[in-house]
Amino acid sequence: MTFSILGYDQENKEFGIATCSAIPCIGEYFAFGDGSAGVIAAQGSCNPYNGLKSIHYLKDGVTPNEIIAKLKQSDELIQKRQIAIISNCGLMACYTGENLGNGVKGHIIGKNFIACGNTLEDLQTLEIMKEAFEKSNEKHLYLKLLHALKMGDSTKADIRGRQSAGLHVYSFKNDYPIIKINIDDDINPVRILEEKVSNFIKSFYKIIPFFPQRDGTQSIPEPDSIEEKIFTEFKKNVRVRNFHI
């Protein structure tokens, strides 16, 4: 049904997920995250509550391995699920049910990443994503995740094709995402995702550091910087929209 990679950036305390599937809206209903908790892929037979419960458990200090154990007890159809979890401090766990869909399924847990998938042609997709993430020289986590997803997409991957994709990245500093872009229905979702992410990084992404932080602080851009110009334009546009409401 899906191939995904979850990653953790130890230095910048960022964590995220890049995912692609043959079904629509994969990023909306199968990927979950919160800066005060972590990121979760709740794949396979759809049960969004596994993702939502995992967020709450992480906030309560429950470890990813303990969460998997709890979900096994509470979900009668757990054998049809695939659940991957990375906490906001880098703890990881993954579970792949024995009765999950057709085709090949599995997961790989490595240093600061989890690659997982189901309804695949073979496990080469996961191995290639693993290698792409491990060997990437990209500075930013979102680029490493996107590169690994692209490499997975270059394989036969999902036996039913592709229809949707998403990239979500969070920071330890805030509850809200610093990147959250979904392609809900397209014949080339990973390519379109890459284009949307590129446009986002060039503009709105530059002013997110100047949003209020969880600790109540808020910085301002340097005068005459590109960030200051974007931030000013953003505020102006917001005022215009609010004025017309």
Side-chain angles (χ1 to χ4, degrees):
M1 192 174 275
T2 303
F3 55 99
S4 305
I5 183 156
L6 294 75
Y8 186 78
D9 182 337
Q10 184 78 37
E11 180 178 354
N12 296 308
K13 294 294 187 293
E14 292 180 357
F15 36 95
I17 176 174
T19 181
C20 179
S21 181
I23 65 172
C25 303
I26 186 64
E28 294 289 346
Y29 298 104
F30 295 81
F32 302 83
D34 187 302
S36 63
V39 287
I40 297 99
Q43 303 175 173
S45 181
C46 185
N47 183 359
Y49 283 102
N50 282 338
L52 296 172
K53 287 180 181 178
S54 296
I55 292 291
H56 289 299
Y57 284 141
L58 287 172
K59 288 184 177 182
D60 289 339
V62 184
T63 69
N65 279 320
E66 291 170 340
I67 292 172
I68 296 293
K70 285 179 175 291
L71 295 179
K72 287 181 178 180
Q73 293 179 346
S74 64
D75 187 350
E76 294 181 353
L77 298 178
I78 194 67
Q79 294 295 332
K80 295 180 179 293
R81 322 286 192 203
Q82 186 171 55
I83 303 165
I85 305 171
I86 296 183
S87 74
N88 66 354
C89 59
L91 298 178
M92 299 183 292
C94 190
Y95 167 80
T96 299
E98 294 181 1
N99 300 327
L100 174 56
N102 299 316
V104 177
K105 54 188 175 290
H107 63 264
I108 301 171
I109 299 179
K111 184 179 180 180
N112 295 326
F113 78 89
I114 301 173
C116 55
N118 58 82
T119 324
L120 304 173
E121 287 279 0
D122 53 50
L123 292 179
Q124 182 188 23
T125 300
L126 304 186
E127 291 291 344
I128 287 178
M129 288 198 296
K130 167 187 177 294
E131 184 175 358
F133 188 89
E134 289 179 329
K135 293 185 176 181
S136 174
N137 292 320
E138 297 289 358
K139 179 181 178 181
H140 298 288
L141 177 63
Y142 78 87
L143 289 173
K144 294 181 70 171
L145 292 172
L146 190 58
H147 174 62
L149 189 72
K150 285 173 56 182
M151 294 306 296
D153 189 51
S154 69
T155 68
K156 293 181 179 179
D158 197 312
I159 62 177
R160 301 157 305 165
R162 295 112 165 107
Q163 190 172 358
S164 65
L167 175 68
H168 304 176
V169 179
Y170 294 81
S171 168
F172 188 84
K173 297 178 181 179
N174 303 301
D175 300 342
Y176 54 78
I178 55 177
I179 300 175
K180 188 172 185 179
I181 299 177
N182 293 321
I183 307 302
D184 291 334
D185 187 0
D186 194 275
I187 59 173
N188 292 302
V190 175
R191 179 177 62 82
I192 300 302
L193 177 65
E194 184 179 21
E195 293 176 2
K196 297 295 185 183
V197 170
S198 177
N199 291 335
F200 178 79
I201 294 301
K202 293 174 184 176
S203 56
F204 196 78
Y205 178 76
K206 295 182 181 297
I207 65 171
I208 290 178
F210 306 104
F211 287 0
Q213 307 293 299
R214 186 189 296 124
D215 61 8
T217 61
Q218 183 175 11
S219 59
I220 59 174
E222 291 291 330
D224 299 322
S225 65
I226 182 64
E227 290 82 6
E228 196 263 349
K229 293 178 182 178
I230 295 173
F231 197 60
T232 300
E233 186 67 20
F234 167 71
K235 291 192 294 183
K236 182 177 69 175
N237 289 338
V238 169
R239 290 193 185 103
V240 169
R241 287 196 295 270
N242 288 340
F243 179 78
H244 287 294
I245 289 175

